[in-house]
Amino acid sequence: MTCVTLSEQQLILARNRVKAAGVEDLVEILLCDYRAISGTFDRIVSIEMLEAVGHEYLGSFFESCDKYLNPDGVLVVQVMNHQM
């Protein structure tokens, strides 16, 4: 499993949790922009990224997902929506 974050705090927390769970050989956590990763994936899970990406960049976000997703892969996008 490969995880990406731009937050150094999230990186440290996630690496500590991975280590505590004893799954360091199964999980890689990278401090980088999602557009800068290499390789392709069978599954992509995006958690609350659309809020951070913003409406203006939704197209490029989904283009990146398409670029990194293997044929017949699965994309799961979790979003929070607050009506005001």
Side-chain angles (χ1 to χ4, degrees), residues 53-67:
V53 168
H55 186 265
E56 180 180 359
Y57 298 102
L58 288 179
S60 64
F61 172 78
F62 284 109
E63 286 172 10
S64 292
C65 291
D66 185 57
K67 173 183 171 183

Side-chain angles (χ1 to χ4, degrees), residues 6 10 24 29 37 55 79:
L6 290 175
Q10 281 183 344
E24 293 168 292
I29 305 169
I37 58 177
H55 186 265
V79 224

Side-chain angles (χ1 to χ4, degrees), residues 20-82:
V23 292
E24 293 168 292
D25 57 327
L26 301 174
V27 180
E28 175 184 34
I29 305 169
L30 306 173
L31 183 64
C32 71
D33 189 293
Y34 67 91
R35 295 166 289 193
I37 58 177
S38 60
T40 57
F41 303 89
D42 295 323
R43 308 280 187 271
I44 296 175
V45 178
S46 170
I47 300 174
E48 296 186 28
M49 272 297 295
L50 295 187
E51 296 87 346
V53 168
H55 186 265
E56 180 180 359
Y57 298 102
L58 288 179
S60 64
F61 172 78
F62 284 109
E63 286 172 10
S64 292
C65 291
D66 185 57
K67 173 183 171 183
Y68 295 117
L69 193 61
N70 286 327
D72 297 324
V74 175
L75 171 65
V76 176
V77 179
Q78 182 268 319
V79 224
M80 295 284 289
N81 182 14
H82 298 281

